[in-house]
């Protein structure tokens, strides 16, 4: 059947026949479907990409939210100790395969953890005929154990592990070192038995403290003097007594700090005593404090010896700080209480490198705690007998618990990120060495035993601070410039101004940051009065020029075409800026005693060369093109009939701007501002190079800040993958992404409401 020919229409054009129309409808339907599903698919891909970013960031952050756990894996009778000679101290080496038990009688047994078989045994050196009467340890990372003897002498030993690889198999060989030599040192010249000892390595040598059988507290300082060629040597040092406890109280526990200045003593009357013992001539009791938590059963320093952990017979576990007050006096201050143990605390085992610890009680429970985050991580029952000793591995992956029946319990530990909690990230935290709780970001320091401080509050406030001052600079210039360019400026001049400003957006921000940090910051520091003079006199100059122009005869004003009036301001603006800069040194002499920066400092206003003022100007220049371009398009696209109708009804051009153009263009102007804000919040290079990167918490325009984006850029390349610091940086990125997402969502809601409100115009 042949196709029906097309027929001409009234204008002579050929009209498609029915079959051609059907074919065209199919093609159109295919194109419509392709467009609809193509646009929909692309939109879903954008949403999916955003969702994948969130998922990836959250996957890196998720381990921070995982709870710590203790999982018992094995237990067996510990044949290396007995009721007659129980273990006084347990150790677990870093490969978690070998342990060491220091018995009360002075035997040191190294054993295989999984089997309990003895590997090596050592005898702690002592004088002939004396017995061990006291045992104590230093903080774990020093690996010191001190034995006190019945003749007033002390031996200090240190466990060691040498590593070799015979036949490509790891072999750990244990041993003992003697930091003060194999001969015991005399702590009590009178030869009285020591019932308590304490030891710590300090910069000035070894510090040993002890309590004699008649309750006298002694402190000794000793140093090993090496021979000429590093072999042999002798021990030098002396000991002295410190004031006894007031009221005849008996010493139950004592510990010394790593500076060699302080001694903390727990007595039998639920009290703590804080001593200054740096020198014999001024050794004194600083203060006596009630624990208010029961009788102290366990007393230990955390690594770094700035925190004291006490456990009591009531199950209370608390942390105390050694704090310097405003008068340069040190005090022992209770800082935080942890969750109580079900039973009476019997032992405390600090971690090797972090501010965490384990505690055992008389009901067979073991708890994990962390100081910085103020967290009770987990409390788990591992036996039904009282726990006598605990040992944590240096990598915190395994735990040993010895009960009173001399049965050793082995547990697997997951405790990778105890430093972080929601309270430590977003609330004030009382950090070691500080006088009060604060918001601090200091993720690393020069000391391994330093406490990581990872509060996101200074970074979040720094991000908002940088964006605030940038927007304070950019919004007036961007929006007002857009209104003038789109409505008042001649098309020819607009054709030059608009592309020029939009080209500014292509400037690399690293160049702006470079100029801001190396040129603008020193320039502003040396010409501070000029900055404020320009802010005052530049608007005054513009108003004065405008007033003068309006008073000129119309014959003169008519020589300047309409829309070119802005060109008249160029020279006055340049002259005003030059005059303010030229007069700046004289203003400093007249009003600020020769230096405005010093004047600010004298009036308790901190000034950093790279500060929020520099960032506001530099980042403002980066944000202005974004705001200007979008706002200018919104104003320029206001329908002409609206403005012409307003003018026809007798409104002036400025009344038309305020009453017609701004309401109609408000959705676009608001979008421009929010796009600029998003750009400012996410900016990295300018704030990285021009802020000083100081994570301070204030809105002082003369001080710097650190933003979330700059912090990630600075610290992520140097942090260990999978560490708490690494994951917190991802959390900071997630917070930044969530912040911009929420702000943009709210902005879109507001924009839609503005569009709906003014759509009837």
């Amino acid at each position: 059947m042949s196709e029906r020919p097309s027929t001409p229409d009234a204008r002579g054009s050929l009209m498609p026949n029915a079959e051609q129309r059907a074919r065209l409808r199919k093609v159109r339907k295919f194109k419509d479907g392709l467009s609809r599903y193509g646009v929909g698919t692309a939109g879903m891909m954008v949403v999916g990409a955003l969702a994948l970013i969130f998922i990836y960031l959250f996957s890196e952050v998720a381990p921070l939210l995982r709870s710590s756990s203790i999982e018992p894996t094995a237990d067996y009778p510990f044949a290396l100790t007995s009721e007659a000679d129980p273990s006084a101290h347990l150790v677990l080496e870093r490969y978690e395969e070998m342990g060491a038990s220091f018995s009360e009688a002075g035997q040191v047994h190294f054993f295989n953890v999984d089997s309990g078989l003895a590997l090596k045994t050592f005898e702690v050196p002592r004088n002939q005929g004396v017995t061990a009467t006291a045992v104590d340890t230093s903080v774990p990372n020093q690996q010191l154990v001190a034995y006190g003897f019945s003749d007033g002498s002390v031996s200090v030993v240190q466990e060691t592990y040498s590593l070799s690889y015979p036949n490509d198999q790891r072999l750990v060989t244990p041993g003992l070192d003697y930091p003060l030599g194999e001969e015991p040192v005399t702590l009590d010249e009178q030869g009285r038995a020591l019932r308590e000892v304490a030891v710590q390595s300090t910069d000035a040598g070894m510090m040993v403290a002890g309590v004699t059988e008649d309750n006298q507290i002694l402190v000794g300082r000793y140093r090993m003097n090496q021979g000429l060629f590093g072999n042999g040597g002798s021990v030098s040092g002396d000991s002295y007594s410190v004031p006894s406890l007031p009221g005849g109280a008996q010493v139950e526990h004592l510990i010394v700090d790593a500076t060699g200045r302080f001694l903390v003593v727990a007595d039998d009357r639920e009290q703590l005593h804080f001593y200054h013992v740096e020198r014999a001539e001024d050794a004194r009791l600083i203060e006596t404090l009630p624990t208010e938590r029961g009788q102290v059963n366990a007393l230990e320093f955390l690594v770094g010896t700035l925190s004291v952990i006490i456990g009591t017979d009531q199950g209370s576990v608390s942390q105390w700080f050694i704090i310097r007050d405003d008068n340069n006096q040190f005090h022992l201050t209770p800082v935080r209480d942890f969750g109580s143990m079900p039973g009476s605390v019997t032992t405390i085992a600090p971690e090797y490198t972090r501010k965490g610890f384990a505690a055992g009680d008389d009901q067979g429970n073991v708890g994990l705690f962390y100081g910085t985050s103020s967290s009770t991580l987990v409390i788990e029952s591992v036996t039904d007998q009282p726990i006598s000793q605990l040992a944590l591995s240096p990598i915190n992956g395994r735990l040993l618990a010895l009960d009173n029946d001399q049965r050793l319990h082995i547990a697997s530990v997951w405790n990778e990120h105890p430093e972080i909690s929601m309270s430590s990230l977003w609330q004030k935290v009382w950090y070691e060495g500080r006088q009060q709780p604060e918001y601090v970001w200091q993720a690393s320091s020069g000391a391994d035993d330093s406490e990581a401080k990872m509060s996101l509050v200074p970074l979040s406030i720094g991000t908002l601070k940088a964006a605030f001052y940038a927007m304070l600079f950019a919004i007036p210039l961007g929006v007002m410039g857009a209104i003038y360019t789109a409505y008042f400026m001649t098309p020819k001049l607009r054709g030059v101004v608009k592309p020029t400003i939009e080209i500014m957006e292509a400037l690399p921000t690293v160049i702006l940051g470079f100029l801001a940090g190396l040129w603008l910051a020193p320039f502003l520091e040396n010409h501070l009065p000029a900055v404020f003079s320009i802010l005052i006199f530049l608007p005054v100059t513009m108003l004065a020029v405008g007033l003068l122009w309006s008073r000129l005869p119309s014959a003169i004003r008519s020589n300047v075409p309409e829309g070119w009036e802005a060109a008249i301001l160029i020279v006055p603006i340049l002259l005003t800026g030059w005059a303010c800069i030229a007069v700046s040194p004289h203003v400093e002499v007249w009003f600020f005693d020769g230096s405005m920066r010093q004047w600010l400092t004298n009036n308790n206003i901190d000034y950093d060369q790279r500060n929020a003022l520099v960032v506001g100007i530099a980042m403002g220049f980066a944000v202005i093109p974004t705001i200007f371009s979008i706002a200018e398009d919104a104003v320029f696209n206001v329908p002409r009939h609206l403005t012409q109708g307003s003018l026809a009804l007798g409104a002036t051009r400025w009344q038309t701007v305020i009453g017609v153009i701004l309401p109609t263009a408000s959705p676009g102007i608001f979008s421009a501002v929010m796009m600029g804000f998003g750009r400012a919040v996410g900016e990295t290079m300018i704030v990285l190079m021009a802020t000083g990167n100081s994570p301070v918490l204030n809105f002082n325009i003369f001080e710097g800040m650190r933003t979330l984006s700059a912090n990630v850029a600075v610290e992520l390349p140097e942090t260990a993958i999978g560490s708490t610091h690494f994951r917190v940086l991802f959390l900071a990125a997630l917070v930044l992404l969530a912040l911009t997402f929420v702000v943009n969502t709210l902005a879109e809601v507001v924009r839609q409401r503005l569009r709906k409100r003014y759509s009837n115009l």
Side-chain angles (χ1 to χ4, degrees):
M1 185 176 183
S2 60
E3 274 191 18
R4 183 178 176 182
S6 302
T7 58
D9 60 8
R11 294 175 295 179
S13 301
L14 292 179
M15 296 180 61
N17 57 30
E19 293 180 0
Q20 290 172 329
R21 287 196 298 271
R23 188 161 49 250
L24 290 173
R25 281 195 294 269
K26 289 181 180 178
V27 172
R28 186 181 301 112
K29 183 177 180 181
F30 173 76
K31 291 180 179 179
D32 290 343
L34 182 63
S35 299
R36 180 170 64 253
Y37 290 113
V39 172
T41 302
M44 292 303 296
M45 290 177 66
V46 171
V47 174
L50 185 62
L52 286 175
I53 293 174
F54 270 105
I55 291 171
Y56 171 68
L57 292 177
F58 187 77
S59 68
E60 294 290 349
V61 173
L64 295 177
L65 308 177
R66 179 179 170 182
S67 300
S68 301
S69 62
I70 300 174
E71 297 181 5
T73 57
D75 64 90
Y76 52 79
F78 194 49
L80 302 180
T81 60
S82 63
E83 292 185 5
D85 185 18
S87 175
H89 177 53
L90 272 181
V91 176
L92 185 59
E93 53 87 30
R94 70 177 309 274
Y95 294 105
E96 302 179 337
E97 299 171 352
M98 184 186 301
S101 172
F102 294 76
S103 74
E104 291 185 358
Q107 299 283 334
V108 182
H109 305 281
F110 290 92
F111 61 95
N112 182 280
V113 170
D114 294 320
S115 64
L117 296 177
L119 301 175
K120 266 191 176 182
T121 299
F122 296 87
E123 182 81 21
V124 175
R126 69 195 73 186
N127 295 324
Q128 187 174 3
V130 303
T131 58
T133 55
V135 188
D136 198 33
T137 65
S138 66
V139 287
N141 59 340
Q142 294 185 6
Q143 299 178 312
L144 299 175
V145 179
Y147 276 87
F149 298 109
S150 56
D151 64 347
S153 62
V154 175
S155 280
V156 179
V157 298
Q158 183 177 42
E159 82 223 38
T160 62
Y161 303 95
S162 59
L163 193 62
S164 60
Y165 290 90
N167 301 320
D168 293 331
Q169 297 293 319
R170 184 178 64 232
L171 177 63
V172 180
T173 304
L176 283 185
D177 272 353
Y178 306 97
L180 297 179
E182 296 191 28
E183 293 295 324
V185 296
T186 300
L187 182 64
D188 183 21
E189 298 291 345
Q190 300 181 27
R192 293 167 292 186
L194 301 174
R195 61 181 182 85
E196 294 289 339
V197 292
V199 63
Q200 213 74 247
S201 178
T202 72
D203 292 339
M206 199 72 65
M207 182 174 179
V208 180
V211 181
T212 63
E213 55 191 354
D214 59 355
N215 208 41
Q216 179 64 54
I217 303 174
L218 302 170
V219 173
R221 297 176 183 277
Y222 306 95
R223 177 184 290 275
M224 172 63 77
N225 303 305
Q226 296 293 335
L228 181 61
F229 299 102
N231 55 347
S234 60
V235 176
S236 62
D238 57 3
S239 62
Y240 51 88
S241 62
V242 301
S244 300
L245 298 186
Q250 296 293 309
V251 176
E252 294 293 326
H253 307 277
L254 80 164
I255 51 177
V256 294
D257 80 319
T259 68
R261 291 185 289 178
F262 304 113
L263 178 71
V264 181
V265 177
D267 67 12
D268 60 348
R269 301 179 183 179
E270 302 183 3
Q271 297 180 121
L272 291 177
H273 305 269
F274 186 46
Y275 282 87
H276 182 275
V277 294
E278 186 172 11
R279 292 182 297 272
E281 58 271 20
D282 62 355
R284 65 189 186 279
L285 175 63
I286 298 176
E287 58 190 352
T288 296
L289 303 166
T291 65
E292 298 180 353
R293 295 160 178 83
Q295 179 61 43
V296 177
N297 284 353
L299 181 69
E300 296 288 348
F301 270 121
L302 293 186
V303 61
T305 68
L306 293 175
S307 294
V308 177
I309 303 297
I310 67 170
T312 70
D313 60 355
Q314 298 178 9
S316 169
V317 181
S318 58
Q319 184 177 11
W320 300 56
F321 283 174
I322 298 175
I323 296 175
R324 188 199 306 261
D325 63 18
D326 294 334
N327 298 320
N328 202 32
Q329 299 297 317
F330 287 92
H331 299 277
L332 190 62
T333 305
V335 172
R336 54 180 65 98
D337 288 295
F338 301 93
S340 295
M341 297 290 291
S344 175
V345 177
T346 55
T347 183
I348 292 173
E351 293 185 6
Y352 278 71
T353 58
R354 304 186 305 191
K355 304 297 180 178
F357 60 96
D361 68 9
D362 62 358
Q363 295 183 16
N365 300 292
V366 175
L368 298 179
F369 306 86
Y370 203 86
T372 307
S373 58
S374 190
S375 299
T376 301
L377 302 170
V378 61
I379 297 177
E380 183 73 30
S381 176
V382 298
T383 179
D384 56 0
Q385 295 295 317
I387 302 292
S388 61
Q389 295 296 325
L390 287 174
L392 282 168
S393 78
I395 60 174
N396 306 304
R398 211 173 191 187
L399 178 145
L400 302 181
L402 184 66
D403 64 24
N404 281 2
D405 283 346
Q406 302 303 305
R407 192 170 189 85
L408 188 66
H409 301 264
I410 306 170
S412 174
V413 175
W414 195 95
N415 187 27
E416 291 190 8
H417 308 293
E419 306 97 323
I420 296 304
S421 65
M422 287 300 106
S423 61
S424 67
L425 287 172
W426 298 107
Q427 297 179 15
K428 289 185 176 181
V429 176
W430 199 336
Y431 298 103
E432 290 181 344
R434 298 181 180 260
Q435 296 181 354
Q436 59 189 4
E438 295 176 308
Y439 299 111
V440 181
W441 176 273
Q442 187 183 354
S444 60
S445 71
D448 292 337
D449 55 13
S450 178
E451 186 175 26
K453 306 169 183 64
M454 290 185 280
S455 172
L456 292 180
V457 174
L459 306 180
S460 302
I461 295 299
T463 302
L464 297 177
K465 178 180 176 180
F468 172 76
Y469 286 115
M471 299 303 288
L472 197 64
F473 181 80
I475 289 176
L477 294 178
V479 173
M480 294 181 183
I483 294 172
Y484 184 84
T485 302
Y487 188 66
F488 293 98
M489 191 174 287
T490 180
K492 186 175 182 180
L493 186 57
R494 177 177 179 268
V496 175
V497 171
K498 189 171 189 291
T500 302
I501 295 179
E502 289 178 342
I503 287 175
M504 288 173 53
E505 194 166 9
L507 285 174
T509 55
V510 67
I511 301 300
L512 292 175
F514 178 81
L515 293 175
L518 297 184
W519 172 76
L520 182 60
F523 178 83
L524 293 181
E525 181 183 18
N526 295 327
H527 299 87
L528 272 177
V531 177
F532 299 98
S533 300
I534 288 173
L535 291 176
I536 296 172
F537 290 111
L538 202 57
V540 171
T541 299
M542 297 172 69
L543 292 174
V545 171
L547 180 62
L548 179 62
W549 177 255
S550 67
R551 294 293 187 267
L552 291 177
S554 59
I556 298 177
R557 287 188 283 121
S558 62
N559 291 327
V560 178
E562 185 178 1
W564 285 85
E565 295 88 347
I568 301 171
L569 288 170
I570 295 177
V571 174
I573 287 175
L574 293 176
L575 289 175
T576 301
W578 173 82
C580 290
I581 294 172
V583 176
S584 177
H586 303 287
V587 173
E588 286 192 297
V589 173
W590 296 336
F591 298 102
F592 302 105
D593 298 327
S595 173
M596 186 175 179
R597 175 174 180 175
Q598 187 60 46
W599 181 87
L600 290 171
T601 303
N602 294 340
N603 286 273
N604 299 319
I605 301 175
D606 294 330
Y607 185 93
D608 298 330
Q609 186 186 77
R610 301 185 181 186
N611 51 45
L613 177 62
V614 177
V615 172
I617 295 174
M619 197 152 67
F621 272 106
V623 172
I624 283 174
T626 301
I627 297 176
F628 174 86
S629 181
I630 300 174
E632 202 274 345
D633 288 338
V635 174
F636 188 78
N637 290 325
V638 173
R640 300 280 295 178
H641 68 271
L642 295 178
T643 58
Q644 291 173 351
S646 175
L647 295 172
L649 291 172
T652 65
R653 298 186 71 180
W654 277 110
Q655 289 173 331
T656 301
V657 168
I658 295 173
V660 177
I661 292 179
L662 285 181
T664 307
S666 59
I669 294 175
F670 184 77
S671 296
V673 171
M674 297 314 298
M675 288 289 289
F677 179 77
R679 169 77 186 275
V681 167
E683 177 56 47
T684 302
M685 293 310 300
I686 294 177
V687 293
L688 186 64
M689 302 176 73
T691 62
N693 276 317
S694 303
V696 295
L697 187 62
N698 60 51
F699 270 86
N700 181 3
I701 195 172
F702 298 120
E703 286 191 74
M705 78 289 289
R706 179 180 288 191
T707 65
L708 290 166
S709 58
N711 190 66
V712 172
V714 169
E715 299 191 1
L716 189 60
E718 299 181 0
T719 187
I721 295 176
S723 65
T724 301
H725 184 200
F726 177 84
R727 300 196 186 281
V728 171
L729 291 177
F730 272 86
L731 177 60
L734 184 61
V735 169
L736 183 61
L737 184 61
L739 174 63
T740 55
F741 181 79
V742 170
V743 169
N744 289 336
T745 301
L746 294 176
E748 181 62 20
V749 171
V750 174
R751 190 178 70 85
Q752 292 294 344
R753 291 187 177 181
L754 289 173
R755 175 178 290 179
K756 182 178 179 180
R757 178 175 180 179
Y758 295 110
S759 61
N760 57 354
L761 294 177

